[in-house]
Amino acid sequence: LTLLNRQVFKNCLSLESIELSENIRTIYYTAFENVPVEAIPDIPEGTEVIVESFDFISKGEADAVVPDCVTSMDYNSYFFYDTLTIGKNVREFIPLKFELGCITDTKQKEIYVNEENPYFCAEDGVLYNKDKTEIVHIAYGHNFTDGIFMIPASVTKISCSLHCRKISSFEVEEGNTVFSSENGVLMSEDKTSIIQYPAGSRESNYTIPNIVKKISSGSFYNSELDSLIIPESVECIESG
């Protein structure tokens, strides 16, 4: 036996103890759902523990701390908490893509990372990989200063959706070689691709610059534009 699947011991309220095989390599966190705490075994070192969507739903608590045993989780694992602290052993975080944007306006206001975690760091409501070259996740309820979302110079990859109505403008730090912004819109460095229009913008009309050749998937998702003018220079509009 190498895998403990979802809810395998769910509601086994009379369990007094569980002994795990030395061969166990992967455990879904819900395997022990509603099992008495004293019966839950120590997780063998090196075992992958996976937390999935809605595995943890707040019952009134404001803050969530991911247990040290968890190695993999997704954006929805702690959906209803004000703050989220990523545990020291989490090495995989599955981000929100734009297709699921209907749930991006959550109460999650802040993200922290255990200082011993070697894979991630967080700052101002944004989860990065450790060297801050990738934006992995954002707290969609975070109050970004003046509605401005700043892309650091070090960032070369954005893995999550940025169509958050708390963001009214994008800015890119000087020295970034991959991204740029113009009139608050996030673009490729050469401004030939639109990456994200700020969903929190109060503008009612937008004209895409004549230099733009590509509109990326989900670029205008969640926006409240009344009109959008697309120039002849656009050659590609990506689909979801």
Side-chain angles (χ1 to χ4, degrees), residues 66-82:
V66 179
D68 288 344
C69 64
V70 174
T71 59
S72 176
M73 60 182 293
D74 71 13
Y75 70 94
N76 235 353
S77 302
Y78 292 82
F79 187 68
F80 294 106
Y81 291 85
D82 287 344

Side-chain angles (χ1 to χ4, degrees), residues 114-145:
N114 186 302
E115 61 183 16
E116 295 182 48
N117 187 298
Y119 304 102
F120 300 104
C121 64
E123 183 178 339
D124 296 331
V126 182
L127 179 66
Y128 300 92
N129 64 342
K130 197 65 172 182
D131 59 4
K132 291 185 73 172
T133 59
E134 177 186 2
I135 294 176
V136 179
H137 175 66
I138 68 173
Y140 292 98
H142 184 80
N143 290 315
F144 298 98
T145 304

